[in-house]
Amino acid sequence: MSAPRKRPEELRSHRWFGPDDLRSFGHRSRTKQMGFDSEDFSGKPVIGILNTWSDLNTCHTHFRERVEQVKRGVYQAGGFPVELPVLSLSEQFMKPTSMFYRNLTAMEVEETLRCHPIDGAVLMGGCDKTVPALLMGAFTMDLPCLFLPAGPMLKGRWRTETLGSGSDVWKYWAERCAGKLSCDAWQELEDGIARSPGTCMTMGTASTMACVVEALGFILPGAATLPAVHSAHARMAAQCGRRSVEMVWQDVKPSTLLTRESFLNAITTLMAIGGSTNAIVHLIAMAGRAGLKLSLTDFDDIARTTPVLANLRPAGKYLMEDFHDAGGVPALLGRLRDRLHLECRTVSGQTLGEVLEGAEVFGEEVIVPRESPLSSEGGIAVLHGNLAPDGCVIKPTAMEPRFLRHTGPALVFRNYPDLKARIDDPDLPVTADTVIVLQNAGPIGAPGMPEWGMLPIPKKLLQAGVRDMVRISDARMSGTSYGACVLHLAPESAIGGPLALVQDGDQIELDVPGRRLHWHVPAEEIDRRRAAWKPAEPRFARGYGRLFVEEITQANEGCDFKFLHHGPPTPEPEIF
Ligand code: FES
């Protein structure tokens, strides 16, 4: 039996275009002003194409072309496409960090959809925070929608080396700091590491989010890994347009697709790809918009029983193009069918189980067999302890194994400027066993919880050959980063979390197998330090910054604004 279809008079946009009244006359006449006839838009689903193109979002350079391909698909299916620009979140250029603006874009997406005559949406994003931002706003607005991922850029190249975004920057920067790489070589790396439009092509945050959103059901099957400049990417864009029109007629809203189980599928995928720790914060926030609660325990429980099967940098060897050629997300999930909720529905109109039927792996070295995983446990571990009562995270697959259990003395930096000023001081009292601590780098302290968590290794240790150390902060870390970096400590230091009270020389114990981060300081001493602790003066007297620090939640809660959390529906706008 085919799905029930809406009648044209039931379209949301009918309220703007349908009635025989003064306001609707204005809406119709102004649409005709753009050169359209009634036949172009009357009684047709209006598809809002939310485009995060910008000249300063280099990962989305191809979106000017892609939006035309989406429109082509919408027209083919009998819809009426309208392009609506929303704030892009450029990972490379936005300061203090794109994360500071994730919720602003989410809010803009929700209100852009609400105030316009939109029946359904194609969400065009890809660069890190654009993914959760678009989906958070769209989930709240709850109109039929699907996500068009920007796709990864081509592999980087330097001399005989294949370069991976981010990961190889950190690697060769360390070599340069150690005096082992010439200026000319560094310049050549700069020329060769980003060779096309598209997102970072390692399993960084952008690729991670695309893969988990495909598993969640909001990206067409196989599209998360499609390289940005592949001709199939353009065809996929048109397919998004066609499918969005069908989704409107069938009323396939996010609330009809999203369940706790679909989010558990996304978490399983996150662990199996050895994905970015950032996805934890974003998935908690996205689920929250759907009225679903995810906890750090959900992530750790799934991590403990999910093998890492994607051999991708930074945890593995290959890049996203290789992952796509090996079969992409469907092939990977096909190897994990017993761990997935196959009944979950997707924007394709199929269940996840139907999507995975016939999925094949075409590169056993890229998507490795269950019997020989990269790691028998997922790529992320959640830790608790007296330094992080509300939890923190680490990526065990991307660190030197000797640090999985480690105790060392703290070397504390009050904030990032302090770190920058002192980290390369030749007299810094630091050894390879030191635990480097950065305070005031969390959601409020930084602000925006920047990706500072892969704290730099002191130059004098780099020159001595050290390439990994235990580092602790309330910051996040780029998905392309690696190392024994403990992240997302909650509550953060800026609001008086225990991290604020750590002093030089305190012994800190990291025990990843035991899921523990312990601070060996007596309770009386902690009380004494707490009594003397004072919060910093408020940084923002007005504007978005003030709203941000007043409303932001902690990392374990998803860093959404409290006033944007799921609640009673916001009324539709009156049309007077
Ligand atoms: Fe855009 Fe990495 S900078 S995805």
Side-chain angles (χ1 to χ4, degrees), residues 190-223:
E190 188 175 300
D191 292 342
I193 200 157
R195 301 197 298 172
S196 81
T199 52
C200 294
M201 77 320 240
T202 39
M203 188 48 84
T205 303
S207 301
T208 299
M209 289 307 297
C211 292
V212 301
V213 170
E214 184 174 327
L216 186 66
F218 278 79
I219 286 178
L220 292 174

Side-chain angles (χ1 to χ4, degrees), residues 270-352:
L270 168 65
M271 298 307 164
I273 59 178
S276 164
T277 45
N278 287 327
I280 297 178
V281 180
H282 299 322
L283 282 171
I284 291 173
M286 287 158 57
R289 291 304 188 95
L292 300 165
K293 186 158 176 54
L294 297 179
S295 70
L296 289 181
T297 309
D298 291 321
F299 288 84
D300 201 54
D301 287 349
I302 292 176
R304 284 175 188 267
T305 56
T306 306
V308 180
L309 300 184
N311 186 8
L312 299 171
R313 299 188 204 179
K317 180 175 173 194
Y318 295 97
L319 294 170
M320 288 302 287
E321 206 175 314
D322 306 308
F323 187 32
H324 185 72
D325 291 342
V329 173
L332 176 96
L333 296 187
R335 294 210 149 155
L336 292 163
R337 293 176 67 96
D338 57 307
R339 304 208 43 76
L340 295 166
H341 300 275
L342 298 172
E343 74 287 359
C344 291
R345 298 175 60 211
T346 74
V347 291
S348 70
Q350 298 174 296
T351 63
L352 182 63

Side-chain angles (χ1 to χ4, degrees), residues 75 78 98 100 166 199 228 234 248 263 295 320 327 361 368 423 429 441 457 477:
Y75 286 128
S98 62
F100 188 62
T199 52
V248 170
F263 276 98
S295 70
M320 288 302 287
V361 173
V368 302
I423 193 73
I457 293 172
M477 175 170 93

Side-chain angles (χ1 to χ4, degrees), residues 193-465:
I193 200 157
R195 301 197 298 172
S196 81
T199 52
C200 294
M201 77 320 240
T202 39
M203 188 48 84
T205 303
S207 301
T208 299
M209 289 307 297
C211 292
V212 301
V213 170
E214 184 174 327
L216 186 66
F218 278 79
I219 286 178
L220 292 174
T225 54
L226 247 178
V229 294
H230 197 308
S231 61
H233 195 276
R235 298 194 293 273
M236 179 270 292
Q239 201 186 345
C240 284
R242 290 191 294 271
R243 181 61 195 147
S244 65
V245 175
E246 275 305 298
M247 287 176 70
V248 170
W249 289 127
Q250 295 167 357
D251 207 20
V252 183
K253 298 187 289 193
S255 58
T256 66
L257 302 179
L258 292 169
T259 60
R260 179 171 164 77
E261 287 69 30
S262 60
F263 276 98
L264 297 182
N265 286 341
I267 298 174
T268 299
T269 307
L270 168 65
M271 298 307 164
I273 59 178
S276 164
T277 45
N278 287 327
I280 297 178
V281 180
H282 299 322
L283 282 171
I284 291 173
M286 287 158 57
R289 291 304 188 95
L292 300 165
K293 186 158 176 54
L294 297 179
S295 70
L296 289 181
T297 309
D298 291 321
F299 288 84
D300 201 54
D301 287 349
I302 292 176
R304 284 175 188 267
T305 56
T306 306
V308 180
L309 300 184
N311 186 8
L312 299 171
R313 299 188 204 179
K317 180 175 173 194
Y318 295 97
L319 294 170
M320 288 302 287
E321 206 175 314
D322 306 308
F323 187 32
H324 185 72
D325 291 342
V329 173
L332 176 96
L333 296 187
R335 294 210 149 155
L336 292 163
R337 293 176 67 96
D338 57 307
R339 304 208 43 76
L340 295 166
H341 300 275
L342 298 172
E343 74 287 359
C344 291
R345 298 175 60 211
T346 74
V347 291
S348 70
Q350 298 174 296
T351 63
L352 182 63
E354 289 165 345
V355 167
L356 300 186
E357 268 168 31
E360 269 186 78
V361 173
F362 300 108
E364 297 286 337
E365 62 294 340
V366 182
I367 302 174
V368 302
R370 278 283 280 272
E371 303 71 46
S372 50
L374 263 77
S375 160
S376 57
E377 291 195 9
I380 296 173
V382 175
L383 317 175
H384 284 86
N386 64 351
L387 255 190
D390 293 335
C392 58
V393 303
I394 190 167
K395 208 168 170 182
T397 46
M399 62 186 274
E400 290 187 13
R402 66 197 170 96
F403 289 121
L404 290 171
R405 284 200 174 90
H406 176 83
T407 302
L411 175 64
V412 182
F413 295 91
R414 291 186 311 283
N415 50 38
Y416 204 80
D418 181 33
L419 176 89
K420 212 167 170 203
R422 292 195 292 130
I423 193 73
D424 290 332
D425 182 342
D427 297 325
L428 196 70
V430 65
T431 72
D433 287 333
T434 299
V435 174
I436 299 183
V437 172
L438 175 65
Q439 299 168 330
N440 294 306
I444 292 173
M449 206 182 172
E451 293 183 338
W452 294 338
M454 184 181 165
L455 308 179
I457 293 172
K459 200 176 211 168
K460 68 179 186 182
L461 295 182
L462 282 174
Q463 286 166 343

Side-chain angles (χ1 to χ4, degrees), residues 57 59 91-92 127-128 199-200 206:
N57 195 331
C59 304
E91 198 57 33
Q92 295 292 353
C127 189
D128 291 25
T199 52
C200 294

Side-chain angles (χ1 to χ4, degrees), residues 11-24:
L11 292 171
R12 184 172 179 268
S13 60
H14 182 78
R15 295 180 61 223
W16 275 261
F17 291 118
D20 182 13
D21 61 17
L22 183 63
R23 282 286 162 245
S24 298

